[in-house]
Each structure stands twice: as C-alpha cells, then as structure tokens.
Amino acid sequence: MDDLKPAIVSPPLKLTATKHWQARLELGFARRDARSYLAHRLHHGPLVVQKSLHPEGEDICHAVVVHPPGGVAGGDALHLQVQVGEGARALLTTPGAGKWYKANGTKATQTLTFQLAAGSGLEWLPQENILFDAAEVGFSAEIALAADATLAAWDIVCLGRQAQQEIWQSGFYQLNQRITRNGRLIWNERARMQADDLVKTSRVGLGGAAVFGTFLVCAGAVPAEVLQACREIVLSDAKVGITALPEVLCIRYIGNASQQARQYFEHCWQILRPWYYQKDAIRPRIWNT
C-alpha cells in the first residue's frame, strides 16, 4: 500500500477587497418646438433618473436624480454629466438628503459636469448633503455655459447628523468648482476644511455653525429691485450674505438648520426666477413628499 500523504488544508480566504460604487449618469436634454425633453439617458452603477416630468408646462423638463443605495461610503464615486441642448430648459433635484458615511480612510467623491448650449437653462436644486462623522468627501463641478445660457444651482452641507445630535469631529470636506462662459472663467471656488480646522469655530468662518450653503445664479447683471428683494429676507438665527458680481449672483447661508437653509434658498429662488426665466417658481413635486 502506498504511503498516504497528509492532506494539505488551505487557510480560509480573507476578503480584504471592498466593493466601491463607481456610478455615472449621463443626461441629455433637447428642445423640439416648445417642448423640452429628456433625449438621452445612460447610467452605469447606482445613479439613475427614473422619469422626466412636466409639472409646469412643456417649456421646462423636470427630472429627479436617484442614488438607490441611499448613502455614499468611503471610496464611492458619483459622476453626473448633463448636456442641455440649444433652447432647452431642465430642472434637476434629488428625492432626499445625500448621506455621506464614515470614510474608513478612503475619500468619497461627487463630480458634476454640466454643458449648456445657446439659449438653454439648467436649475440644479438638490436637497442637502449630510456628512457623517469621519466622512471624507470631495465635491467638484465643471460647468460650461454658452454666451446666453442660464444656470441656477445651489448646494447645502450639513456637518454631522443633526437628528442624532452627532458632531463632525473627524474627516474633511473639499470643494473644487469652476464655471466658464464661452470658455472664459467667471467663477472659481476652492475649499478644503478638516473637521478640526479653526475655520469651523472662527467668527470669520463658520462660527460654530453646522450648516452652510451657496446658491449661484449665472444670468447676467441682476436688476436692482430683484437684488433688493432678496436682501430684504432676514433670518434672525443665521447669517446670510448676497454678492452681485457682473456675471454671477452668489447667495450664502451659515446656520444650524438644513431645512432653514432650503427654505431661504427657495424664497430667493421665488424672487429670482421670474427675472432669469420669466416664469414663476414651481416647487418640484418630490419636495412635497
């Protein structure tokens, strides 16, 4: 009988690789006669738009951008690419707050690439982004406008989960945002903030506030009466500021309530939209759910 050799038993495999979502959504809007419509849609990974709507008539196409997992983990990357064709108008929003989880040593990113053709318009009005404690997040946006294209875009950031009274004690926030018109730079904003940076508590920074936001409108010089109407909105328990540049209107919010920030920006939007679109502001239906 042959000598029996002892069996070789391999140790159990350790799964060290972590799956990160690399999600990409491409949207293209076009205009036919008086109707703006979603002409192109392509997605890879969990970033989709389920349906386009026309709640305020044919002129403006609404779409809701959905991230089905509900939250973004460290290492995940979301890329939204939008092209708005000549004369078309689109409004994009999200169904709920963006949740950015603990990084586990890996940065999560969101990249926006918008291209607006002649006579077109895009409103990017998402709900707030919540940075969980230890989140490491990079937001970037590259927006190219034709000579007479119109952009209205806001973003709201909440440091920590307010409902759980969580404080953002570690991690970082990074922003890189560029807007060009006919290839000429009209807005360039860069920021990087560590959770323990002095800017969080400084009076010339956030002053201890947990929520901050920016609302940009690129539609040329703002009429004086429209600008004054926005400046007359006063919040007793938050800081707001409005800067009117020749080609960009910048509205800032610093406070402690994401809902208040949204309401403030929406109030400004109701004043501004009849100027830049010649249409009243119609709330997206998803905001009512």
Side-chain angles (χ1 to χ4, degrees):
M1 181 180 294
D2 295 334
D3 293 335
L4 295 177
K5 296 181 179 179
I8 300 176
V9 180
S10 299
L13 293 176
K14 294 183 178 180
L15 300 179
T16 56
T18 302
K19 180 177 178 59
H20 300 306
W21 290 116
Q22 306 296 309
R24 183 183 186 92
L25 174 63
E26 296 179 10
L27 301 176
F29 294 89
R31 186 179 182 92
R32 182 184 297 121
D33 298 325
R35 179 181 176 85
S36 296
Y37 65 98
L38 181 58
H40 170 74
R41 175 173 56 186
L42 178 67
H43 81 273
H44 172 77
L47 193 61
V48 298
V49 59
Q50 292 182 332
K51 189 178 182 180
S52 59
L53 307 167
H54 291 81
E56 52 179 318
E58 302 289 271
D59 182 45
I60 301 175
C61 182
H62 288 219
V64 179
V65 177
V66 180
H67 181 236
V72 186
D76 289 355
L78 309 182
H79 187 184
L80 175 61
Q81 181 176 323
V82 180
Q83 291 187 321
V84 187
E86 186 172 348
R89 289 178 172 180
L91 185 154
L92 300 179
T93 188
T94 56
K99 301 177 181 65
W100 298 82
Y101 298 147
K102 181 178 178 180
N104 294 317
T106 310
K107 181 174 74 171
T109 62
Q110 174 185 277
T111 302
L112 307 177
T113 305
F114 298 161
Q115 292 183 314
L116 279 66
S120 69
L122 176 64
E123 294 171 304
W124 168 240
L125 310 176
Q127 300 198 48
E128 70 271 18
N129 286 301
I130 302 173
L131 274 57
F132 286 39
D133 186 29
E136 299 179 359
V137 183
F139 295 100
S140 63
E142 188 74 29
I143 303 172
L145 308 177
D148 57 350
T150 297
L151 172 75
W154 70 44
D155 67 270
I156 299 167
V157 176
C158 181
L159 302 176
R161 291 173 290 174
Q162 291 181 306
Q164 283 73 33
Q165 298 183 334
E166 178 185 75
I167 299 174
W168 191 57
Q169 301 181 87
S170 64
F172 67 80
Y173 160 86
Q174 184 175 330
L175 175 69
N176 185 1
Q177 185 180 65
R178 285 170 41 93
I179 304 174
T180 60
R181 188 178 290 280
N182 269 0
R184 180 173 52 85
L185 186 66
I186 62 172
W187 182 263
N188 187 16
E189 183 167 12
R190 294 172 181 263
R192 182 182 172 91
M193 177 175 60
Q194 297 284 147
D196 59 354
D197 279 350
L198 183 60
V199 71
K200 276 185 62 183
T201 55
S202 171
R203 294 177 60 185
V204 296
L206 296 182
V211 179
F212 59 93
T214 302
F215 183 13
L216 301 176
V217 178
C218 303
V222 187
E225 64 275 12
V226 174
L227 185 61
Q228 181 59 32
C230 290
R231 285 178 169 160
E232 288 175 357
I233 304 172
V234 177
L235 303 179
S236 60
D237 52 351
K239 296 179 181 179
V240 297
I242 300 177
T243 303
L245 302 173
E247 297 191 63
V248 181
L249 175 68
C250 176
I251 303 174
R252 306 279 196 184
Y253 169 94
I254 296 177
N256 284 298
S258 56
Q259 183 178 7
Q260 183 188 50
R262 291 198 312 270
Q263 291 172 345
Y264 171 63
F265 284 169
E266 186 176 347
H267 194 172
C268 292
W269 178 54
Q270 290 170 348
I271 295 170
L272 292 164
R273 203 183 201 227
W275 156 61
Y276 68 74
Y277 260 6
Q278 296 77 53
K279 293 178 73 74
D280 290 337
I282 304 297
R283 302 182 84 246
R285 294 175 180 175
I286 196 70
W287 292 359
N288 297 324
T289 60

